[in-house]
Amino acid sequence: MQNRSDTIQEFCWYTSRRFRVNFFKIVGLIIIYQSITGIFLRDNDFLWHYNHGKYFIEGDILKHSGAPNTLGRLMMDATLGIQNYYTARAFSFSLALAALLNSLLMWNRMANKILPITNSVAFAAAVFSLGLFIHFVLRDLDDCGLQIFLLFFLTSASYAISSGRSILSGFWLGVAATYKVTPLLFLPFLMWKRQWQAALWMIFFIIALNLTPAVFIGWEKTVSFNLNWLKRTKLDLTVQDPSHPTSFEVPRHQNQSLPFSIARYLQTYPPGHSLYIDHPLFLQFGNLKTATANYVVKSILLVFSGILAWRFRHPWKNESKRDNFLSEWATVMLLCALLSPLNWIYHYVLALPALFLTLRAHLSAHFIPRWHSIILGIIGFKVLLLHRFFLGHDLSIIMLSYKFDAFAMLLLMMLVLTIPAEKSF
């Protein structure tokens, strides 16, 4: 049966057939252009993973045991290393497009259990989400979708647990945390939500995926690599200067990590520092000592964690229409990018679910507070206009130095967590 919101939206321009046809024409041209540039004209992080996949295949991985990625991730990279370089890029690019489409479909199916809407409205919400984050998505497709795969893993985990399949959810979370470490955030999240079975299976699959390489490179190399990885991770956790989020990379303004972003407003960088920019528009604010700045950053993050813990304090209901399930899961996905020590803007493809849920609620013709719309406009202005395409390289770096992207994602997090209760996801 068609509800009131479906009737209201039935004749809107964004639910028309013309809208869908024009979208497919535009997106077809974008895919053709992006496939050429992403497959043949870029290297970026993909080359790094391709090479480490070859090292894994050759059994030469111990010479590269200082890599920040887990051994399980390098085993995954081996699926790229066994192919010709451009074949691997084409394979990854095509798979990423399929993963992106399937992720949006899964989020819509889950959301429909709580707020059913017509396919045309859901399609429009997906289109506007991709349009608003087009800069992030296209930049990730330059890397043949490496972050889109993480989006798919975490989406698959939410789809599984929403259907009561804790083992499958634990598997996908284990894959995600092996692929990139920050999805480990889901472990305390699951425990806080009393999802013990999924949490235990997540731990099991993380261990299994990082010991499985022993089949290919031997037990001794597997243990040695994993121990070296743990040692290096411990070293990164002991870094006391918040302007140096890792021990293995020079700080760059492109990094939109939340701790790094907070530190930007607490410290002053002298001439010659990698974060200093000799430009009149580059302003510095706080001048705290390193130890003090580190203490303030950690204190702010602790308060932030406490606020989220309070917001997430209720366990999910047993029925399929779990109150707040999707908004909370989308928030933790966004945190996987925000709290990463190295967070480039294209990592914000992980924010697509939060944006999709927010826009879906806006387009459903139900009441949304006016301030939601204003904040959405602010986010759109920042994400669509204040980047390199419009500002040029030098000015875009200065803009990145102010960490507006990180703060825009915090605003998006607030929106998805404050969708009116009767429409909460």
Side-chain angles (χ1 to χ4, degrees):
M1 181 179 293
Q2 193 178 47
N3 61 33
R4 183 178 65 86
S5 66
D6 297 338
T7 303
I8 292 175
Q9 297 299 329
E10 185 176 4
F11 300 107
C12 289
W13 61 272
Y14 53 77
T15 62
S16 67
R17 183 176 180 277
R18 181 188 294 272
F19 175 80
R20 294 190 291 274
V21 169
N22 289 335
F23 167 79
F24 285 119
K25 288 179 180 178
I26 294 172
V27 81
L29 294 174
I30 292 175
I31 289 176
I32 292 172
Y33 170 80
Q34 195 63 31
S35 63
I36 294 173
T37 58
I39 295 171
F40 299 106
L41 304 179
R42 300 284 189 268
D43 288 318
N44 300 327
D45 290 345
F46 186 92
L47 179 60
W48 192 95
H49 289 285
Y50 178 82
N51 286 335
H52 279 73
K54 293 183 72 69
Y55 300 147
F56 182 92
I57 294 169
E58 295 164 359
D60 197 26
I61 202 65
L62 285 182
K63 291 183 179 179
H64 308 276
S65 58
N69 296 104
T70 64
L71 184 57
R73 172 64 187 273
L74 300 183
M75 180 177 65
M76 297 178 193
D77 290 339
T79 61
L80 303 174
I82 61 175
Q83 307 175 66
N84 168 272
Y85 180 61
Y86 292 109
T87 302
R89 290 191 72 95
F91 169 76
S92 183
F93 185 92
S94 302
L95 203 59
L97 291 179
L100 180 60
L101 175 61
N102 274 283
S103 295
L104 289 171
L105 288 173
M106 282 189 281
W107 277 100
N108 188 57
R109 290 183 193 127
M110 290 186 288
N112 264 336
K113 295 177 181 179
I114 300 167
L115 176 62
I117 61 175
T118 62
N119 290 336
S120 58
V121 175
F123 179 83
V127 170
F128 294 146
S129 298
L130 291 172
L132 190 62
F133 279 1
I134 188 68
H135 183 54
F136 302 155
V137 174
L138 293 183
R139 175 57 186 84
D140 190 48
L141 287 175
D142 280 346
D143 267 343
C144 298
L146 296 181
Q147 302 303 315
I148 290 174
F149 293 131
L150 185 58
L151 168 70
F152 175 77
F153 299 152
L154 295 174
T155 297
S156 297
S158 66
Y159 193 76
I161 201 170
S162 69
S163 304
R165 293 173 291 176
S166 297
I167 297 176
L168 184 58
S169 181
F171 166 77
W172 283 117
L173 288 172
V175 171
T178 300
Y179 187 83
K180 186 177 180 180
V181 179
T182 51
L184 279 173
L185 288 170
F186 276 93
L187 186 55
F189 174 66
L190 289 173
M191 296 171 69
W192 185 248
K193 303 299 291 188
R194 288 73 154 176
Q195 299 294 312
W196 308 110
Q197 189 176 11
L200 289 173
W201 279 111
M202 178 183 179
I203 295 172
F204 171 80
F205 283 113
I206 290 172
I207 296 172
L209 286 167
N210 285 283
L211 292 182
T212 299
V215 176
F216 306 100
I217 64 175
W219 181 254
E220 185 177 342
K221 288 183 179 179
T222 298
V223 172
S224 179
F225 187 98
N226 282 317
L227 289 177
N228 286 336
W229 183 87
L230 288 172
K231 187 183 300 183
R232 178 161 190 165
T233 302
K234 182 179 178 181
L235 178 63
D236 287 337
L237 292 175
T238 59
V239 173
Q240 295 298 309
D241 187 348
S243 69
H244 289 261
T246 69
S247 62
F248 57 87
E249 182 156 333
V250 175
R252 300 166 59 191
H253 285 298
Q254 289 89 335
N255 187 358
Q256 298 293 303
S257 166
L258 181 57
F260 188 61
S261 300
I262 298 171
R264 164 70 173 87
Y265 290 87
L266 301 177
Q267 297 176 289
T268 292
Y269 312 119
H273 193 283
S274 60
L275 294 177
Y276 177 80
I277 302 177
D278 185 13
H279 193 283
L281 292 180
F282 178 71
L283 304 178
Q284 304 196 73
F285 305 95
N287 192 22
L288 299 181
K289 294 181 179 179
T290 299
T292 305
N294 186 51
Y295 174 79
V296 173
V297 169
K298 290 182 177 179
S299 298
I300 292 174
L301 292 177
L302 183 62
V303 172
F304 178 61
S305 300
I307 293 172
L308 287 180
W310 180 84
R311 177 62 177 78
F312 297 166
R313 67 191 182 279
H314 298 297
W316 295 321
K317 296 179 180 178
N318 292 325
E319 62 268 22
S320 60
K321 294 185 178 181
R322 293 183 174 97
D323 290 340
N324 301 316
F325 165 67
L326 291 185
S327 63
E328 292 175 356
W329 197 279
T331 295
V332 181
M333 285 182 65
L334 182 47
L335 287 174
C336 288
L338 268 176
L339 295 181
S340 174
L342 294 178
N343 176 33
W344 315 127
I345 58 172
Y346 55 93
H347 292 178
Y348 285 135
V349 294
L350 292 181
L352 269 172
L355 181 61
F356 175 67
L357 294 177
T358 301
L359 289 176
R360 198 177 183 277
H362 273 253
L363 298 182
S364 66
H366 291 285
F367 171 74
I368 292 294
R370 184 182 297 274
W371 66 268
H372 268 230
S373 300
I374 294 173
I375 290 181
L376 259 180
I378 293 172
I379 295 171
F381 176 78
K382 167 58 197 82
V383 171
L384 289 174
L385 300 178
L386 301 183
H387 59 79
R388 183 173 178 173
F389 182 83
F390 294 102
L391 302 177
H393 178 269
D394 293 344
L395 196 55
S396 69
I397 296 299
I398 293 173
M399 190 60 61
L400 285 169
S401 78
Y402 290 109
K403 312 304 176 188
F404 291 142
D405 289 284
F407 300 136
M409 294 305 107
L410 288 177
L411 290 176
L412 177 58
M413 186 183 301
M414 180 174 64
L415 291 184
V416 76
L417 287 174
T418 56
I419 294 172
E422 65 273 15
K423 304 295 170 280
S424 63
F425 290 85

